[in-house]
Amino acid sequence: MSLAIVLGAASAATVQYNFNITWVTANPDGLHPRPVIGINGQWPPPVLNVTRGDRIIANVYNGLGNQTTSLHWHGIFQNGTTHMDGAPAVTKCGIAPGGSFTYNFTVDQAGTYWYHSHTRGQYPDGMRQALIVTDPLNPYLGQYDEEKVVSLSDWYPDQMPGLLKRFISVTNPTGAEPVPNSALMNDTQNLTVSVYPGKTYLIRLVNVGAFASQRFWIEGHTMQIVEVDGVWTNPLEANMLYISAAQRYSVLVTMKNESTRNYPMMASMDTDLFDNVPTSLNYNVTGWLGYNDDAERAPAASIRTFDTADDMDLFPTDGLSLYPEPNHVITLDLSMDNLGNGANYAFFNKIIYISPKVPSLYTALSSGPAATDPTIYGRSTNAFIIEKGEIVDIVLNNDDTGKHPFHLHGHGFQVITRSADNAGHYNASDKHEFPPFVADNPGIWLFHCHLEWHMASGLAATMIEAPLPLQRSLVIPQNHYQACNEAGTPTGGNAAGNIENIYDLSGANISPTPLPEGFTARGIIAIVFSCLAAILGLVTIVWYGLAPISGQGSGSD
Ligand SMILES: *[C@@H]1O[C@H](CO)[C@@H](O)[C@H](O)[C@H]1NC(C)=O
Ligand SMILES: *[C@@H]1O[C@H](CO)[C@@H](O)[C@H](O)[C@H]1NC(C)=O
Ligand SMILES: *[C@@H]1O[C@H](CO)[C@@H](O)[C@H](O)[C@H]1NC(C)=O
Ligand SMILES: *[C@@H]1O[C@H](CO)[C@@H](O)[C@H](O)[C@H]1NC(C)=O
Ligand SMILES: *[C@@H]1O[C@H](CO)[C@@H](O)[C@H](O)[C@H]1NC(C)=O
Ligand SMILES: *[C@@H]1O[C@H](CO)[C@@H](O)[C@H](O)[C@H]1NC(C)=O
Ligand SMILES: [Cu+2]
């Protein structure tokens, strides 16, 4: 073991990337060519491969022209480098069009990760791809022949800015999320993954989608789950996986000994999340394990019930024991509701996240002793101060009817138990039903729903971890401040950018006002729909009125 550690350390390298982020055209589902965000003229963006211990230096140039951008390294803890986490308004400024930014950090973890834009609504427009960190101490080394990386995703025909405008709008008072047009497997459909009989593969699966959870299975083959979200697990046999947006699994799959046929490999989006399922929607995507180029690639057999493995049954191979009793409990009640503008939003404790004028990290660094007062970060960042070394429990009470996959930057958590559906709020006299983590990583870390729609409608909170030690240890490189200047973002003061009086939050970005007293969401819905009906009625009349008069044809079907 010590030899492996020495070898691991000896092989630590600096891996440099030069990324020019630009619009390119792609048509991964074969339905509509559309502008997507690519890297160096390429889409899909490249899968990145590094080894544990490596330093990544990514020089990013924003060549989009019309949007700011950013890169977040999803699942990488950024221990000691919170400023490289890539979340605009949290730990840095967005990279303005024509601007550049250098990410520089070491990766002291291994497993299946991904990188994506963390700018509002941007990753579903294409800026997302797998990041694989090879482990010199891989417990499964020698038990497989080769690795394969396969991403899963939902796909929209339209660009996010327009979709977001319609989603968070008085015309969508129920907050119905846009339903994707297609499912993708490795950013295409009808993918063939060439395999050799008798071999065992480690397949790394990443759901890089905006919204849909995916079920994944391979006909005629069972899988052994060996990794979830960067944590090696004891093998768990599974016929089918359930992979939420942003989640990752690695599975070992042993091939058959004969190569007479090819086997469908399926992903199916969980339509429970969709408010309506258009009849034209193919929510499945098929690929194949390709044993034989001359054999047919038959369609998948239809499955009646989805029997997915439960990630609560997974155990880490490192045997990490349960953290001790918490010293800090953060309770977050999740709800969906309308605000005074009639649009539907997502709340933690009745607060929707709104980006502050100053990135929260720069507020922490520039506010001296006041950095431990959550109010200076602005009410709408939903800030929680965490002290160094605390064991923190997050109690998440889901008062919404939907499922939400949560992501915490900077930490992994121990998920101890999960309540049954509709079990109500956590009851403190029941034991542990919430994920603890150890505050061993000073930084500013977002905790948010990874459904991009809900992130945009406010479902996020900010963990301000050990701000005073951070003030002593962190040095922000000059090019980070330059990015702020290019984006016109202030780099000091409270959430409102006030420096003189750090407690004066006048001018801060604030949430829309609540619904007027006595006004209910139901009322808004009724008004909106009667208005819509009236408008539709008028449009129909006008349309008929404008139609040329002809003997036959129009309206016959
Ligand atoms: C995949 O195959 C199906 C069935 O032949 C076809 O309808 C679909 O357009 C194909 N997708 C792509 C991206 O080529
Ligand atoms: C990356 O960070 C390391 C450690 O702080 C520093 O020594 C190095 O000069 C940095 N490299 C670049 C290109 O910024
Ligand atoms: C999936 O796509 C990525 C990027 O395009 C590629 O590197 C990888 O090899 C593909 N995986 C398979 C199994 O074809
Ligand atoms: C394939 O052949 C190997 C070696 O003969 C054997 O150990 C294994 O059980 C066979 N696998 C299957 C699925 O039959
Ligand atoms: C998708 O796959 C499932 C599982 O096989 C099947 O029940 C369903 O009918 C398929 N849906 C479509 C639209 O093909
Ligand atoms: C919490 O659980 C205890 C013990 O089971 C029970 O007595 C109590 O009524 C519960 N409280 C709530 C608010 O449900
Ligand atoms: Cu959500």
Side-chain angles (χ1 to χ4, degrees), residues 15 31 107-108 192 329 382 403 475 503-504:
V15 184
L31 298 176
V107 179
D108 290 320
T192 298
V329 177
N382 226 332
K403 295 179 245 187
V475 178
Y503 297 104
D504 171 15

Side-chain angles (χ1 to χ4, degrees), residues 333-337 339 345-352 459:
D333 294 344
L334 186 174
S335 60
M336 301 283 192
D337 205 351
L339 287 175
Y345 291 89
F347 302 76
F348 275 142
N349 303 344
K350 307 253 182 268
I351 295 171
I352 65 166
L459 205 45

Side-chain angles (χ1 to χ4, degrees), residues 158-242:
D158 303 308
Q159 291 177 54
M160 290 296 282
L163 290 176
L164 279 166
K165 206 167 278 172
R166 272 174 276 156
F167 169 57
I168 304 174
S169 146
V170 65
T171 60
N172 183 28
T174 61
E177 299 84 1
V179 174
N181 244 32
S182 310
L184 302 180
M185 185 178 287
N186 223 36
D187 284 328
T188 185
Q189 296 177 333
N190 311 316
L191 171 79
T192 298
V193 178
S194 298
V195 296
Y196 290 97
K199 283 199 171 182
T200 298
Y201 294 91
L202 179 85
I203 304 179
R204 297 178 180 273
L205 297 156
V206 195
N207 184 347
V208 297
F211 183 37
S213 298
Q214 302 270 359
R215 284 142 178 151
F216 177 86
W217 68 99
I218 307 173
E219 274 183 23
H221 296 69
T222 57
M223 302 176 271
Q224 303 279 338
I225 300 173
V226 293
E227 183 219 330
V228 62
D229 293 345
V231 176
W232 291 114
T233 67
N234 294 339
L236 180 74
E237 189 164 300
N239 290 315
M240 190 182 283
L241 304 176
Y242 187 92

Side-chain angles (χ1 to χ4, degrees), residues 72-122:
H72 168 58
W73 315 86
H74 188 113
I76 302 296
F77 296 154
Q78 300 290 1
N79 206 324
T81 49
T82 186
H83 55 307
M84 299 296 180
D85 191 45
V90 184
T91 57
K92 66 182 294 247
C93 297
I95 312 167
S100 12
F101 191 95
T102 299
Y103 296 91
N104 176 359
F105 56 95
T106 53
V107 179
D108 290 320
Q109 297 156 262
T112 310
Y113 300 89
W114 59 302
Y115 66 102
H116 62 83
S117 168
H118 215 285
T119 300
R120 179 184 168 88
Q122 207 168 56

Side-chain angles (χ1 to χ4, degrees), residues 223-535:
M223 302 176 271
Q224 303 279 338
I225 300 173
V226 293
E227 183 219 330
V228 62
D229 293 345
V231 176
W232 291 114
T233 67
N234 294 339
L236 180 74
E237 189 164 300
N239 290 315
M240 190 182 283
L241 304 176
Y242 187 92
I243 316 177
S244 301
Q247 203 180 4
R248 295 92 66 205
Y249 277 110
S250 286
V251 293
L252 292 175
V253 187
T254 297
M255 300 301 111
K256 299 192 176 293
N257 283 332
E258 57 292 332
S259 55
T260 46
R261 51 169 292 206
N262 301 315
Y263 289 85
M265 186 167 65
M266 294 292 296
S268 180
M269 299 193 285
D270 180 358
T271 55
D272 285 357
L273 300 165
F274 302 167
D275 283 54
N276 72 310
V277 184
T279 46
S280 62
L281 173 67
N282 181 4
Y283 52 88
N284 298 327
V285 59
T286 310
W288 286 269
L289 288 185
Y291 283 81
N292 185 333
D293 287 346
D294 300 325
E296 70 163 337
R297 299 191 300 166
S302 188
I303 284 182
R304 248 161 222 281
T305 53
F306 295 110
D307 179 20
T308 52
D310 186 346
D311 49 14
M312 292 301 292
D313 295 336
L314 293 169
F315 293 90
T317 54
D318 66 10
L320 181 67
S321 57
L322 206 59
Y323 298 139
E325 286 296 304
N327 353 71
H328 192 157
V329 177
I330 294 171
T331 300
L332 299 171
D333 294 344
L334 186 174
S335 60
M336 301 283 192
D337 205 351
N338 299 76
L339 287 175
N341 61 7
N344 192 273
Y345 291 89
F347 302 76
F348 275 142
N349 303 344
K350 307 253 182 268
I351 295 171
I352 65 166
Y353 180 90
I354 309 260
S355 291
K357 284 188 173 166
V358 175
S360 300
L361 174 62
Y362 300 156
T363 295
L365 295 181
S366 64
S367 55
T372 57
D373 184 335
T375 60
I376 68 167
Y377 301 94
R379 180 175 188 270
S380 298
T381 63
N382 226 332
F384 294 86
I385 310 290
I386 294 167
E387 279 176 39
K388 200 170 173 175
E390 281 184 333
I391 309 288
V392 182
D393 278 351
I394 295 178
V395 177
L396 201 144
N397 294 313
N398 181 3
D399 292 329
D400 176 48
T401 50
K403 295 179 245 187
H404 305 265
F406 284 97
H407 172 47
L408 173 63
H409 292 219
H411 292 277
F413 23 61
Q414 294 185 328
V415 182
I416 298 169
T417 60
R418 180 185 60 208
S419 79
D421 285 3
N422 300 313
H425 276 209
Y426 168 68
N427 179 341
S429 58
D430 300 339
K431 214 57 194 141
H432 299 299
E433 294 206 16
F434 36 82
F437 65 93
V438 183
D440 57 1
N441 186 8
I444 312 298
W445 309 115
L446 215 54
F447 177 77
H448 66 94
C449 177
H450 220 290
L451 305 186
E452 193 64 357
W453 305 115
H454 299 171
M455 175 71 188
S457 64
L459 205 45
T462 312
M463 304 294 156
I464 312 286
E465 179 175 337
L468 299 182
L470 205 57
Q471 289 174 356
R472 293 191 288 270
S473 63
L474 204 65
V475 178
I476 305 289
Q478 200 47 46
N479 78 73
H480 290 214
Y481 291 129
Q482 194 185 324
C484 297
N485 292 341
E486 286 163 0
T489 307
T491 55
N494 63 21
N498 295 327
I499 299 169
E500 299 291 300
N501 179 358
I502 200 83
Y503 297 104
D504 171 15
L505 284 147
S506 54
N509 294 335
I510 52 163
S511 159
T513 52
L515 277 178
E517 200 67 42
F519 217 87
T520 62
R522 208 179 283 263
I524 292 190
I525 293 165
I527 289 171
V528 167
F529 280 105
S530 54
C531 289
L532 273 182
I535 291 166

